[in-house]
Amino acid sequence: MNIKEAKTEIMNAVRAYLRKDERGSYLYPPLRQRPILLMGPPGIGKTAIIEQAADACQVGLVAYTITHHTRQSAIGLPHIVSRRYQGQEYSITEYTLSEIIASVYECMERTGKREGILFLDEINCVSETLAPTMLQFLQNKTFGSHRVPEGWVIVAAGNPPEYNKSVREFDIVTLDRVRKIEIQADCGVWLEYALERGIHHSVLSYLSLKKDRFYQVENSADGKFFVTARGWEDLSELIKSYEELGLAVNADLVIQFLQKKDTARDFAAYYQLYRKYGEDYQIQEILSGEISDAGYQEKLAMAQAASFEERFTVTELVLDVLQNGFLEYEGETRFLHRLQEALRSLKAEARSAVFAEDLKKRILQRWDTLKTKEKMELISGEEACLEARVTETLEEYLLILQKEHISGGEQSVQRLGELFEERESVRKRKIAEIREKLERAFGFLAECFGEEQEMILLVSGLTKNRRAAEFIGRHGCDAYLKYCDVLLGSREEELRQACRSYL
């Protein structure tokens, strides 16, 4: 099973386990709610899919790497209490609440979510003293005498023994009480995730060309050599930072993340070519229509004489430039939609003679709400930035109203509507620019390579890109539909449906 299928399986399990009847009682017997055990190589995204599944199911999440814990932190510390049995006083040992169970209750208090996922990573790499506790946890959903709260689904993850010498094998009794899912590294699935996450396009381009380099683990007499999905993602973030700072990305840097010399050197060389081709071909200028006729003809001649790898990279560079436009469009569309919602909510106060004061109070309330959500971890960083941007815009609008001496409700609402339309007109110009870039992209590649594999790569790349498909589905692209028909024939309707599915 690949990581995408595993995520779906986890989401389905959460929804099945947490079904309730009309009285609010859980329908799935707690005794039969087997913990899910994900087993797969390191760095393929097991932790990431747990976060995504919890978010999609709108439940809480408590995550621990269990190797960081001792027996005491897992089951609690012993303390002596007095108990009376059959008229006689006895001193017995009890345990304080497990740190892990306590974290579940803290999450419930902090977020208000009574249900969630308790995720324990590296569960088969625990110390010898903690191993029996982990087996008890998987079998009985308890740490010592403390049970995981009702409504919390247990997911654990571990690495196969070939990747970690500290791994402990589970016995049949334990395995018979869990849902074991074997996960395999899948480059195609990871590339879908990477495109959505904004992984540096040189990484996407390289792995699209050389999928066999995606995940590699080698144990030899000379040592351990490996390349993982985590390594590619972390390298991508560093490349972005280095480019912004104007720092060089070379093989010595790459090997710190891709710890297999031949792959590190190969990617470092490809990255240098990727940057060089980007400078030589001036794709941004071509798609923006800012290149001279002589310059354009020079790039055409260069591309027509290029090797297969260079032609492939040129197409990827085109997709990279287009992706930046789709990202801007998506961000601006989400912002304007959220801003419009905020402005609509103000219409109820349109008759107020002190509308500006009411707006000021609303703005302060929005800041307070955002601060509370961030403190309680009820909002993602991306959502927080969006909310902050909307609230800052309302502050700008309030200042404009004050400068123009507008305080009455109806006049204020009318002016706010005008200010919103100004921003919407900017978005419409951006839409027109992206459509022009799309048409130029198809025109350039058609002149360079005709209706060959590069054009198929462009069409399929746009179709697989959620943001691109959503844009084309809403705003159209004649060249895209034309080449869908010419190159993919009977798949045209399938591709159109793929675009419409994002609407």
Side-chain angles (χ1 to χ4, degrees):
M1 185 179 292
N2 62 48
I3 198 75
K4 186 177 181 181
E5 293 167 336
K7 173 186 169 182
T8 301
E9 199 65 30
I10 292 167
M11 291 167 58
N12 290 343
V14 169
R15 289 162 179 157
Y17 289 175
L18 301 184
R19 284 191 312 128
K20 297 177 183 177
D21 61 21
E22 62 276 3
R23 295 172 299 174
S25 300
Y26 291 104
L27 292 168
Y28 206 106
L31 183 65
R32 303 300 173 198
Q33 291 182 13
R34 290 191 175 198
I36 296 172
L37 178 60
L38 305 175
M39 296 297 292
I44 60 171
K46 296 188 290 291
T47 304
I49 64 167
I50 302 300
E51 295 171 352
Q52 294 164 17
D55 185 57
C57 296
Q58 298 183 325
V59 297
L61 173 64
V62 173
Y64 273 95
T65 300
I66 201 62
T67 50
H68 299 166
H69 283 268
T70 63
R71 184 175 183 274
Q72 287 74 24
S73 65
I75 70 171
L77 292 170
H79 63 105
I80 307 300
V81 298
S82 295
R83 291 285 186 272
R84 180 174 290 276
Y85 300 114
Q86 297 181 344
Q88 188 169 346
E89 194 83 14
Y90 293 92
S91 294
I92 63 171
T93 301
E94 283 191 355
Y95 287 86
T96 58
L97 187 64
S98 158
E99 178 185 327
I100 296 172
I101 299 295
S103 294
V104 172
Y105 284 111
E106 287 172 5
C107 178
M108 293 164 68
E109 290 292 326
R110 186 179 70 253
T111 65
K113 296 178 179 178
R114 314 305 296 176
E115 301 169 330
I117 296 174
L118 173 56
F119 175 59
L120 299 183
D121 200 7
E122 299 184 7
I123 196 166
N124 59 343
C125 299
V126 297
S127 64
E128 186 174 349
T129 57
L130 192 54
T133 300
M134 287 300 98
L135 296 180
Q136 178 197 37
F137 167 71
L138 289 175
Q139 292 174 12
N140 305 318
K141 305 181 184 65
T142 60
F143 280 109
S145 58
H146 306 292
R147 181 171 293 278
V148 175
E150 188 179 36
W152 281 74
V153 177
I154 297 170
V155 181
N159 300 323
E162 59 265 33
Y163 299 106
N164 194 326
K165 290 183 178 180
S166 303
V167 162
R168 295 177 176 277
E169 295 284 353
F170 291 122
D171 56 33
I172 294 176
V173 174
T174 302
L175 291 174
D176 194 36
R177 287 173 168 80
V178 300
R179 296 172 57 176
K180 184 180 178 183
I181 299 176
E182 298 276 0
I183 304 175
Q184 306 296 326
D186 187 315
C187 184
V189 168
W190 187 82
L191 285 173
E192 291 179 26
Y193 158 83
L195 183 62
E196 185 69 21
R197 290 281 294 179
I199 297 299
H200 196 280
H201 212 87
S202 63
V203 173
L204 301 180
S205 177
Y206 178 80
L207 291 177
S208 296
L209 195 61
K210 301 184 179 183
K211 289 183 170 63
D212 59 312
R213 300 272 190 174
F214 168 60
Y215 201 98
Q216 301 169 293
V217 176
E218 179 183 310
N219 286 312
S220 69
D222 297 325
K224 299 175 183 177
F225 308 99
F226 56 91
V227 175
T228 68
R230 182 187 295 119
W232 286 112
E233 187 162 2
D234 291 347
L235 174 61
S236 164
E237 289 304 310
L238 196 74
I239 288 174
K240 291 178 185 177
S241 296
Y242 269 45
E243 286 182 349
E244 289 176 5
L245 295 169
L247 301 176
V249 175
N250 54 34
D252 290 336
L253 176 69
V254 173
I255 202 168
Q256 297 168 28
F257 296 86
L258 311 180
Q259 299 187 41
K260 200 168 185 300
K261 287 184 179 179
D262 58 339
T263 297
R265 285 196 299 264
D266 195 53
F267 173 75
Y270 180 81
Y271 174 78
Q272 299 303 324
L273 286 175
Y274 188 88
R275 290 295 302 272
K276 183 67 167 58
Y277 293 156
E279 294 169 3
D280 290 349
Y281 279 93
Q282 298 179 276
I283 299 297
Q284 179 66 54
E285 290 77 3
I286 289 173
L287 300 194
S288 299
E290 297 171 355
I291 194 169
S292 66
D293 290 341
Y296 187 83
Q297 293 303 319
E298 178 188 342
K299 308 313 174 190
L300 284 180
M302 191 188 305
Q304 290 164 354
S307 64
F308 164 76
E309 187 170 291
E310 184 172 335
R311 292 157 68 107
F312 175 89
T313 305
V314 167
T315 309
E316 289 290 331
L317 285 164
V318 169
L319 286 167
D320 190 8
V321 172
L322 292 174
Q323 169 71 349
N324 292 334
F326 298 136
L327 282 168
E328 289 179 20
Y329 162 79
E330 181 183 61
E332 194 64 18
T333 299
R334 290 187 64 209
F335 163 68
L336 286 175
H337 178 72
R338 193 69 57 86
L339 178 61
Q340 188 175 46
E341 287 180 342
L343 293 174
R344 280 175 176 168
S345 70
L346 294 170
K347 284 189 175 181
E349 300 160 6
R351 296 180 181 178
S352 171
V354 288
F355 181 88
E357 288 300 316
D358 293 335
L359 175 56
K360 187 174 182 179
K361 290 177 184 177
R362 286 285 194 101
I363 290 170
L364 291 174
Q365 288 173 357
R366 290 182 69 94
W367 282 126
D368 288 342
T369 300
L370 176 58
K371 190 180 297 183
T372 301
K373 286 183 177 181
E374 288 180 315
K375 185 177 180 180
M376 297 178 68
E377 299 178 13
L378 295 175
I379 191 170
S380 67
E382 184 180 355
E383 274 293 307
C385 288
L386 179 59
E387 280 296 307
R389 186 183 174 195
V390 170
T391 308
E392 287 168 356
T393 302
L394 292 176
E395 286 181 330
E396 292 174 16
Y397 287 179
L398 174 60
L399 184 58
I400 291 172
L401 293 179
Q402 291 171 334
K403 286 181 177 179
E404 297 178 0
H405 310 289
I406 300 173
S407 58
E410 293 184 4
Q411 190 180 2
S412 296
V413 169
Q414 181 180 348
R415 184 69 178 109
L416 291 175
E418 292 170 357
L419 292 170
F420 178 82
E421 283 302 318
E422 289 175 12
R423 287 186 179 265
E424 175 62 19
S425 64
V426 172
R427 188 183 79 101
K428 288 177 179 177
R429 286 198 296 272
K430 173 58 68 176
I431 291 170
E433 288 175 10
I434 296 173
R435 290 190 64 187
E436 288 173 3
K437 284 185 178 181
L438 275 167
E439 296 293 340
R440 290 192 187 103
F442 279 99
F444 176 65
L445 289 189
E447 288 189 74
C448 287
F449 313 122
E451 297 171 3
E452 299 297 329
Q453 56 194 359
E454 291 79 15
M455 190 63 76
I456 295 176
L457 176 63
L458 177 61
V459 172
S460 61
L462 291 171
T463 304
K464 289 185 294 185
N465 185 330
R466 176 188 63 80
R467 295 180 180 93
E470 180 178 348
F471 180 89
I472 293 171
R474 287 185 183 278
H475 305 292
C477 177
D478 293 339
Y480 171 81
L481 296 178
K482 169 190 170 183
Y483 284 104
C484 282
D485 185 42
V486 171
L487 298 175
L488 302 171
S490 60
R491 291 194 60 207
E492 177 183 355
E493 183 54 34
E494 177 188 339
L495 290 165
R496 291 189 187 198
Q497 186 59 41
C499 288
R500 287 195 289 267
S501 69
Y502 291 102
L503 300 181

